[in-house]
Amino acid sequence: MILKDKNIVLGITGGIAAYKALELTRLLVKKGANVYPVMTKSAAEFIAPLSFQTLSGNPVYTELFDISKDASIRHIDIAEKADIIIIAPATANVIGKVANGIADDLLTTIIMASKCPKLFAPAMNVNMYENPIVQKNISRLKRVGYFFVGPDEGELACGYEGKGRLAPLEDIIYAAEECLSPKDMKGEKVLVTAGPTREPIDPVRFISNSSSGKMGYAIAKAAKRRGAEVVLVSGPSYLKPPSCITFVSVATADEMSDAAMRHYPQSTVVIMAAAVSDYKPMISHRKKVKKDEAKLAIEIERTGDILQEMGNQKRRQFLVGFALETDDIIVNAKKKLKTKNLDLVVANSTEGFSSDVNQVAIIHSTGEVAELPKLSKDEVAERILDVIVKEIGK
Ligand code: CTP
């Protein structure tokens, strides 16, 4: 999507994490990007350029590259066609050079000659990372608009434990997408709910559903990427909370209601992607229920409808609901749009419930229906936000 057909210069510098840049190349290519690897001389000591060439399908430029022989302005060409330059792993050395205006090899020359966004993913020994000179160089680059992702904490190749590990590849990709995203949701305060809720029967058993949370998380991440301030209220999910958003973890429908209603008044856009349980046991036993010969009936009662409550209290919020249906999808979704006082409803069948893809129809309050093809949940999230941005007139 965002990275599709983008020209990415991937700068690889000389650290042990250079091997991870191979997988990064593969993932970027999978996203449809044209990756142009540029390796420093020391990076080529760690990994053979041929590996990058094979994975990217492009020639690998190294510092050994002879500018004078091949094409005298090749570095300017690459610098000009790049949509983004990602330096991963970025050593203290490359950070120091760029921060101080030194362009003494192909990579630093390209960085210096390019006007596109530059994203550094540092990886180094913790003491190096914490060195005040390195920190000063990073601050200096940030001040002039260079982007950074990571490093993470953890076990380092040098045997130390601490901050210095290359950020997870998915975080680097997300940061690159964020650099290239239009910021058309800037100023919006977006509240998203995601995942299932769990209604306890006793300390070890509960009523729930198989929602994974993927759709809501994809929406929260996409809104953040597009410049919004995001609050994500999530029921139990194995997904990693997205960084740089307000994340509220809840279990029951009542807890989700409390958290969502607390953030509701100050929100401008609300997207209820959670699969909230409609029922909860009337009694939640404090101790584990022991088995018996007799039948066991669990009495259940309704939970509050959070979205209905939001619709009733709606002021300036743009309110988006989801409708999960097995039959008469559009008709039923339209009913929910009306009764819950929504501005938009996203109708989906149970097929996409815990999958990575989803096929949805977006229904406007005017009754207009846009049926989308089967898409990844990340793409569906972008499409939903495209419609919202248009509707709120940004
Ligand atoms: N929803 C909610 N609170 C509930 C139940 C649902 O806020 N207690 C929200 C969901 O997050 C979703 C929308 O209402 O955005 C529709 O949910 P869905 O499960 O499709 O429908 P229900 O309203 O629960 O109706 P039914 O189960 O009868 O189809």
Side-chain angles (χ1 to χ4, degrees), residues 13 31 61 67 72 88 95 120 124 146 190 194 231 237 244 261 268 285 307 343 383-384:
T13 65
K31 291 224 166 222
Y61 301 106
I67 296 169
S72 57
I95 292 168
F120 285 83
M124 63 194 77
Y146 286 53
V190 178
V231 176
S237 167
C244 298
M261 293 316 288
T268 57
H285 297 272
L307 191 55
D343 298 291
R383 298 285 195 97
I384 294 170

Side-chain angles (χ1 to χ4, degrees), residues 143-253:
R143 256 201 319 276
V144 292
Y146 286 53
F147 299 97
F148 280 79
V149 53
D152 258 23
E153 286 208 23
E155 219 176 281
L156 306 178
C158 51
Y160 281 75
E161 186 78 30
K163 215 165 182 185
R165 280 174 70 87
L166 186 74
L169 302 184
E170 69 201 75
D171 289 6
I172 298 176
I173 291 172
Y174 180 81
E177 287 173 335
E178 195 169 19
C179 290
L180 295 172
S181 267
K183 295 290 173 273
D184 53 4
M185 294 197 84
K186 201 167 163 49
E188 299 300 331
K189 291 181 188 306
V190 178
L191 169 63
V192 184
T193 64
T197 63
R198 261 183 203 176
E199 314 303 327
I201 297 168
D202 70 11
V204 290
R205 304 176 178 100
F206 51 79
I207 297 175
S208 190
N209 57 65
S210 53
S211 164
S212 62
K214 284 178 190 162
M215 194 63 250
Y217 279 57
I219 294 170
K221 278 160 77 175
K224 161 74 183 39
R225 221 165 22 223
R226 294 167 81 142
E229 240 179 78
V230 179
V231 176
L232 174 62
V233 178
S234 171
S237 167
Y238 66 88
L239 300 173
K240 190 175 129 202
S243 45
C244 298
I245 64 161
T246 305
F247 183 78
V248 188
S249 170
V250 297
T252 65

Side-chain angles (χ1 to χ4, degrees), residues 63-81:
E63 157 170 65
L64 309 168
F65 173 81
D66 187 347
I67 296 169
S68 58
K69 260 193 235 153
D70 195 339
S72 57
I73 52 160
R74 182 63 62 83
H75 60 293
I76 302 289
D77 282 356
I78 307 172
E80 271 180 4
K81 79 171 162 200

Side-chain angles (χ1 to χ4, degrees), residues 285-297:
H285 297 272
R286 271 196 321 113
K287 291 189 177 166
K288 186 182 170 206
V289 177
K290 302 297 281 179
K291 65 174 171 289
D292 202 344
E293 289 308 315
K295 276 189 193 163
L296 176 70

Side-chain angles (χ1 to χ4, degrees), residues 76 91 116 151 159 221 282 314 328 363 374:
I76 302 289
T91 54
C116 72
K221 278 160 77 175
M282 287 185 68
K314 190 163 82 174
D328 299 328
I363 306 169
K374 198 176 264 185

Side-chain angles (χ1 to χ4, degrees), residues 10 15 37 70 78 108 123 146 178 191-192 224 256 264 295 302 305 314 322 332 348 374-375 385:
L10 178 60
D70 195 339
I78 307 172
T108 46
Y146 286 53
E178 195 169 19
L191 169 63
V192 184
K224 161 74 183 39
M256 182 169 280
Y264 184 59
K295 276 189 193 163
R302 283 285 309 272
D305 190 319
K314 190 163 82 174
F322 269 72
N332 282 325
N348 53 174
K374 198 176 264 185
L375 297 169
L385 296 184

Side-chain angles (χ1 to χ4, degrees), residues 193 253 272-278 302-308 320-325 336 340:
T193 64
M272 281 287 302
V276 188
S277 177
D278 289 322
R302 283 285 309 272
T303 56
D305 190 319
I306 308 168
L307 191 55
Q308 182 69 66
V320 183
F322 269 72
L324 181 70
E325 310 291 347
K336 285 177 188 167
K340 300 196 189 198

